[in-house]
Amino acid sequence: MKYIRRTLEDKLNSMIDKYQVIMITGPRQVGKSTLLNFVARKCNYKINKITLDNLILKNQAKEDPELFLRTYETPLIIDEFQKAPELLSYIKMIVDDENEKIIFGEKESVRTLYFLTGSQIFETMQEISESLAGRVGILDVYGLSEREIEGIESSLFIPNIIDIKKRSRTKYNSTLELYKKIYRGSYPELYVSDKDIEQYYSDYLRTFIERDIRKLINIKDEYKFIKFISSLAARTGQEFIATSIAGEVGIDDKTATSWISILKNSGIIYLLQPYMNNTVGRAVKREKIYFTDTGLACYLAGYVDYITLEKSIYSGAIFETYIVSEIIKSFVNQGKDVRKHLYYYRDNYQKEIDLLINYNNIIYPVEIKKSANPRRDAIKNFDVVKSFETKVGNGIILCMIKDIIAIDENNYMVPIEYI
């Protein structure tokens, strides 16, 4: 199996020996352990490794965490760390002891002691960030970006048209070729093996339910949870309205809100925040749902081939999901907090902008269209941004056009290959 270079390698390397603990989180099977193992192999010193998927090691870590940590020399990779959260308080004590030695001159500088990976971003991850504030560096990992798949250098996607024109393009695809990629999704294993796609996602869902979900929901609700996540997949790119989906699935609003939180914290979905500030009085406050992997969304929505997918009423929503997920990855892969940079806008007057990218205190409006020749009135709501009392950059329509075309002096049609 061939290793696919991850953009996040550079950020991870830059953090080593600047934080005593580095935590890598993300959904199952996105390549967290592979990334860390690859970087560890390139280090100029040995990094030991254990995995708490091993039941014996997991039990040892839970029953006597202090002895467990003394058994292994640092630096140490602890894979699936969330399975033994009891280790956290003892890691904190070890880190505090190291800091004391640095303060009193017994050690010269910070070194990374522990590399932690986890498939869940639940309470344990919150405890880590709170208990080890200033000592832990946290990186999120998602599936492969298109640039990683093609081996093209990646950087932040900022819609500044001058910067966009300097970016290298990914390969141009026909609409059908693009939907073949969307249907396949972004999990690395599907690009280094010949596994059947439908079987892969069937196995993935079963593993996710058995390992992550059963301890968080009542077993009698398992069927309803699968119905819930499938209903969400059909709504990717739409606002999350708990009452609507709860009624369809047969659960109450409180349960729907709880389950959406589980999917968000496990990295299966991303909730895009509405843009709000003191000048935006009539904007809606609901979040929009986006699946972080289009292949999983297609499987859950019931599509079994990309040809049917491309012709379906679902094609627009999954196209938008693909574009938004690629932009999210461009930020995550540079170690950026997406929540500070990506928003959408919709108000009570039905004015909507698919995406607002806020970078360096400049807001860029973005529309997403599955078209090679979108109508120029797609930018009609961009003027709303002028009322935000912030600096506004140029606007763009991300679409299937072949080359960048100016709509006017401030707005452009941009091929999706520039993401």
Side-chain angles (χ1 to χ4, degrees), residues 348-415:
N348 293 333
Y349 300 115
Q350 305 303 312
K351 291 186 176 181
E352 180 178 0
I353 301 173
D354 289 335
L355 203 59
L356 296 173
I357 299 182
N358 185 359
Y359 191 74
N360 200 23
N361 291 319
I362 302 174
I363 292 184
Y364 301 88
V366 179
E367 278 293 306
I368 301 168
K369 298 296 181 185
K370 179 203 165 186
S371 171
N373 186 27
R375 293 175 58 178
R376 292 172 181 256
D377 66 358
I379 64 170
K380 65 180 183 296
N381 294 325
F382 284 5
D383 284 346
V384 170
V385 184
K386 295 177 182 177
S387 68
F388 292 174
E389 294 185 0
T390 187
K391 190 172 181 180
V392 179
N394 61 258
I396 64 170
I397 304 173
L398 285 169
C399 56
M400 298 289 289
I401 201 166
K402 284 194 173 184
D403 296 296
I404 296 173
I405 294 180
I407 300 172
D408 55 38
E409 60 181 354
N410 294 314
N411 300 289
Y412 302 83
M413 298 181 189
V414 175

Side-chain angles (χ1 to χ4, degrees), residues 61-250:
K62 293 177 74 67
E63 291 172 4
D64 196 341
E66 184 176 14
L67 177 61
F68 180 84
L69 290 173
R70 286 183 177 180
T71 303
Y72 300 96
E73 291 186 9
T74 57
L76 176 66
I77 296 171
I78 306 178
D79 198 16
E80 297 295 339
F81 170 80
Q82 81 282 349
K83 294 184 177 181
E86 293 84 357
L87 293 171
L88 179 58
S89 59
Y90 292 92
I91 288 177
K92 183 179 184 299
M93 286 190 285
I94 292 170
V95 168
D96 288 345
D97 182 60
E98 284 283 307
N99 279 335
E100 191 172 295
K101 290 177 180 177
I102 293 171
I103 291 170
F104 292 106
E106 297 174 34
K107 290 199 171 181
E108 291 185 0
S109 59
V110 170
R111 68 188 183 101
T112 300
L113 302 173
Y114 296 102
F115 299 85
L116 312 177
T117 74
S119 298
Q120 305 172 48
I121 317 172
F122 298 116
E123 290 83 359
T124 301
M125 309 315 168
Q126 184 177 352
E127 290 170 14
I128 288 172
S129 59
E130 291 173 356
S131 301
L132 298 174
R135 306 173 185 91
V136 60
I138 301 177
L139 292 176
D140 295 327
V141 182
Y142 286 89
L144 296 170
S145 69
E146 183 61 29
R147 289 180 177 266
E148 287 174 326
I149 293 168
E150 295 187 20
I152 298 174
E153 184 179 353
S154 180
S155 59
L156 287 178
F157 179 76
I158 309 300
N160 183 302
I161 197 64
I162 295 173
D163 294 335
I164 286 178
K165 289 178 178 179
K166 295 176 183 177
R167 291 172 70 87
S168 57
R169 295 178 56 147
T170 57
K171 178 184 176 183
Y172 175 77
N173 291 290
S174 67
T175 304
L176 200 56
E177 288 172 332
L178 175 65
Y179 275 85
K180 187 175 183 179
K181 289 186 175 184
I182 289 173
Y183 176 75
R184 191 178 195 180
S186 62
Y187 288 103
E189 193 169 349
L190 290 171
Y191 291 86
V192 295
S193 71
D194 58 356
K195 285 194 174 181
D196 176 77
I197 295 174
E198 188 175 359
Q199 185 62 50
Y200 174 84
Y201 284 111
S202 174
D203 294 341
Y204 184 94
L205 183 61
R206 183 168 60 252
T207 301
F208 176 60
I209 296 292
E210 290 175 351
R211 295 191 181 182
D212 296 341
I213 300 303
R214 281 184 178 164
K215 56 190 170 186
L216 298 171
I217 67 174
N218 294 326
I219 191 68
K220 63 182 178 64
D221 288 333
E222 189 174 306
Y223 169 75
K224 288 184 177 179
F225 184 84
I226 294 174
K227 187 176 180 180
F228 175 78
I229 190 174
S230 298
S231 295
L232 279 181
R235 289 172 165 82
T236 187
Q238 298 181 24
E239 294 173 25
F240 174 64
I241 304 174
T243 302
S244 173
I245 193 168
E248 180 179 310
V249 176

